[in-house]
Amino acid sequence: MAPKAKEKPKAAAPQPVVAIEDLFASLKKHIERPDYTQIVKVANQVLAIAPGDEDALRCKVVAQIQNDNVDEALETIRSSQKFPVDLRFFKAYCLYRQNKLDEALESLKNQESNKATMLLESQILYRLGRMDTCLEIYRKLQEKGVDSLEINFVAALVGSGQSAEVQKVLDSLRVKPTSNFELAYNTACSLIERKKFTDAEQLLLSARRVGQESLMEENWADDDIEQELAPVAVQLAYVQQLLGDTQAAMGVYVDMIKRNYADITTLAVATNNLIGLRGPKDVSDSLKKIDRLLEKGNEGRFQLTSELEWKLSVKQKETVYVNRALLLLHANRVDQARELVTALLGMFPNSLMPALLHAAVLVKENKAGKAEEALAQFAEKFSDHRKVFLLARAQLAASAGHVQVAADSLAKIPDIQHMPATVATIVALKERAGDIDGAEAVFDDAIKWWSNAMTEDSKLTLIMKEAASFKLKHGRQKEALELFEGLLKSNNSVDALVGLVTTAAHVNVDKAEAYEKKLKPLPGLKGINVDELEKTSGAKPAESGSRVVNIEGIDENKNKDKTKKKRKRKPRYPKGFDPANPGPPPDPERWLPKRERSSFRPRRKDKRVAHVRGSQGAVARDKQEGGAADPHSRTESSDAKSGNSKAGQATTSKGSSQNAGSSKSKKKSRR
């Protein structure tokens, strides 16, 4: 019988085509939950039916962004460029999330200016450090009546150095600083910038309390609350550090780093503050801690991790890099420090710290001359901050012995050039360099400047006095005399008159005598003969019974009688000691070790003990003239010898223990 033919498999039944209306209904249901994974799945089904549907594309991109799949969202946007759908705003946001800030700002150009685009642009500008433009956008939004701007507005004011405007902005927005803990935190940062540390500490404590209460109302777990408020704790520790409580601040930093429960940004701030608080101490441990915030880039250089690169501000990034460069210099890793500083000059071209670090690296390499040249170039480049570089150049040149360079650097700073401290420093430097005329010119310029200055706190008298003393010291009595005369006219003081008399005595005796008459006479000096006083060799001790009268005519003997006489105390003797019969005198060598005393006699060695040489267990034999002795006598001899050697060993060990004891007592006596 022929076998039955196999039945052919039936084709799979085609899946029913879901209507696009049902898909959108499902999409709406997932949006209301929300379930972003299902939103992407349903949006893909819609796009399979209608590839260019704008609503489905927008839903898919937003769901991918909400799921933190920024790369996938950006890929979806790029693949949909062939469709007439405007997704440039979402593209700009994705680039902002990827920290591609310049590309994100470029993507926002030529777009309609509305609330969303302006807020995103302000955030991008804040990340780029362009605070002034960011503040302009916030003010425009405020004029349009946009709510909930206060947190970012205050942060931008603090970042732009306009902390004094914070309270005015809060008053205009009719918002209290303690309305939420984020705003209280930002307002406390503005108080820190204004050096109001105590007020900042109180506001941070309020921020922590408000944050705990609000998060507990939202049923947050305790660990989540502590993690959310970790930035407040770190900032509070920083304020305590500024107030002088460094131990408490260091404890918070160390605890935060050890527990590792805060976000990466807070950990970076705590690590950086701890390193700054330590300074040059524990350099190796500080380097280990700061290197945890870094990773190797494409060219093998260390850079911040991608998360920190995205979250930290420009100023914070620079601070972390600068601290690492300083640690490398303290650790004498000059090559690594030079490489990092060179990179920082390119990363932060408008910042002062990389330029100063460049000079520090040259100094570390014993290239003081090149460092001075570099600081001079930076002073020309950063004309608004040339004072910083000129002061650094002056300090460096003075330390290197280049006194003329140091004096010239200080003379190029107009706002402090004529201050007393600067004048004194320049004069001392020029005097050390042998430029007496230049030092005198510095005094003359300062006197001229203060004579024309319309200030309440004038330093003219002080500088004129020092200038007169300087000229008198270097033999320029005429110029000094003119200065003292000017001082006497402007300030009729006894010091000026005394200086004038002293100076005029070298130049014009008649004038000195004329001015001397203006000095008030001292009481008790009318009857003194000056010629007789000059002949005397000095004061003589008073004879017994004579009275000594000082200038005021006060009897000094009466004062002596009034002084209390010190009562002599009886000497205290040891118990049982009779001072009438003290007995033999103590040994003068009693405090010396026994080995150093004159009565010490070293222990004599016993020469009768035979010296045993050879391997362990060998015994010495007695040499006999007639050959070897009988076995019995040899055994007795060996036993005797053995006994003697044991006795010798015992004696030696006992002696060594005694010597050890004497050395121990010697140490005690030395103490």
Side-chain angles (χ1 to χ4, degrees), residues 623-641:
K623 294 181 180 180
Q624 297 182 4
E625 295 180 359
D630 56 63
H632 181 70
S633 62
R634 189 182 298 117
T635 304
E636 290 177 354
S637 174
S638 65
D639 291 340
K641 295 283 185 179

Side-chain angles (χ1 to χ4, degrees), residues 293-366:
L293 310 176
L294 307 174
E295 62 184 8
K296 281 194 176 182
N298 297 329
E299 299 179 0
R301 293 179 180 176
F302 281 100
Q303 63 184 25
L304 288 171
T305 60
S306 56
E307 192 174 359
L308 285 176
E309 193 70 33
W310 149 248
K311 290 187 175 181
L312 291 181
S313 64
V314 177
K315 188 176 180 181
Q316 289 173 329
K317 294 175 191 175
E318 181 188 356
T319 305
V320 173
Y321 283 125
V322 165
N323 278 344
R324 186 170 189 273
L326 290 172
L327 288 174
L328 291 173
L329 287 174
H330 284 305
N332 291 324
R333 300 184 188 178
V334 184
D335 295 336
Q336 297 180 28
R338 188 192 315 110
E339 182 181 359
L340 178 57
V341 170
T342 305
L344 291 180
L345 289 171
M347 293 168 61
F348 309 101
N350 299 322
S351 180
L352 307 183
M353 283 305 300
L356 294 172
L357 284 173
H358 176 66
V361 171
L362 292 174
V363 172
K364 198 73 173 178
E365 294 175 339
N366 295 324

Side-chain angles (χ1 to χ4, degrees), residues 213-441:
E213 292 175 356
S214 60
L215 295 176
M216 287 175 67
E217 289 177 0
E218 298 176 9
N219 297 323
W220 282 48
D222 293 341
D223 293 340
D224 295 338
I225 293 175
E226 196 171 4
Q227 183 174 355
E228 183 70 14
L229 298 177
V232 180
V234 172
Q235 196 73 344
L236 187 59
Y238 177 64
V239 173
Q240 291 173 344
Q241 175 184 340
L242 295 175
L243 289 172
D245 194 359
T246 56
Q247 293 298 326
M250 187 175 291
V252 174
Y253 297 148
V254 172
D255 182 64
M256 193 74 64
I257 295 169
K258 282 184 178 179
R259 295 173 66 178
N260 198 19
Y261 65 85
D263 62 310
I264 186 65
T265 309
T266 307
L267 285 175
V269 173
T271 302
N272 187 78
N273 289 358
L274 177 63
I275 291 170
L277 187 58
R278 282 180 174 177
K281 298 178 181 178
D282 299 329
V283 176
S284 58
D285 183 64
S286 297
L287 273 173
K288 290 179 182 177
K289 283 182 170 56
I290 204 169
D291 285 345
R292 294 173 190 167
L293 310 176
L294 307 174
E295 62 184 8
K296 281 194 176 182
N298 297 329
E299 299 179 0
R301 293 179 180 176
F302 281 100
Q303 63 184 25
L304 288 171
T305 60
S306 56
E307 192 174 359
L308 285 176
E309 193 70 33
W310 149 248
K311 290 187 175 181
L312 291 181
S313 64
V314 177
K315 188 176 180 181
Q316 289 173 329
K317 294 175 191 175
E318 181 188 356
T319 305
V320 173
Y321 283 125
V322 165
N323 278 344
R324 186 170 189 273
L326 290 172
L327 288 174
L328 291 173
L329 287 174
H330 284 305
N332 291 324
R333 300 184 188 178
V334 184
D335 295 336
Q336 297 180 28
R338 188 192 315 110
E339 182 181 359
L340 178 57
V341 170
T342 305
L344 291 180
L345 289 171
M347 293 168 61
F348 309 101
N350 299 322
S351 180
L352 307 183
M353 283 305 300
L356 294 172
L357 284 173
H358 176 66
V361 171
L362 292 174
V363 172
K364 198 73 173 178
E365 294 175 339
N366 295 324
K367 299 177 181 178
K370 290 186 177 180
E372 293 170 11
E373 294 176 4
L375 288 171
Q377 293 174 2
F378 287 129
E380 295 296 329
K381 178 181 177 182
F382 300 95
S383 57
D384 296 338
H385 304 281
R386 65 196 311 264
K387 176 181 176 180
V388 176
F389 295 101
L390 289 174
L391 285 173
R393 184 170 182 251
Q395 182 180 4
L396 174 60
S399 301
H402 306 156
V403 290
Q404 194 62 44
V405 176
D408 294 341
S409 300
L410 290 175
K412 291 179 181 178
I413 308 174
D415 53 342
I416 66 168
Q417 180 180 359
H418 302 296
M419 299 303 293
T422 309
V423 171
T425 306
I426 296 175
V427 167
L429 291 170
K430 287 186 175 292
E431 190 176 11
R432 192 195 298 183
D435 187 8
I436 305 300
D437 295 334
E440 187 178 4

Side-chain angles (χ1 to χ4, degrees), residues 46-54 56-57 80 82-83 85:
V46 174
L47 292 172
I49 300 172
D53 189 88
E54 182 176 355
L57 280 171
S80 63
K82 55 187 177 181
F83 303 112
V85 182

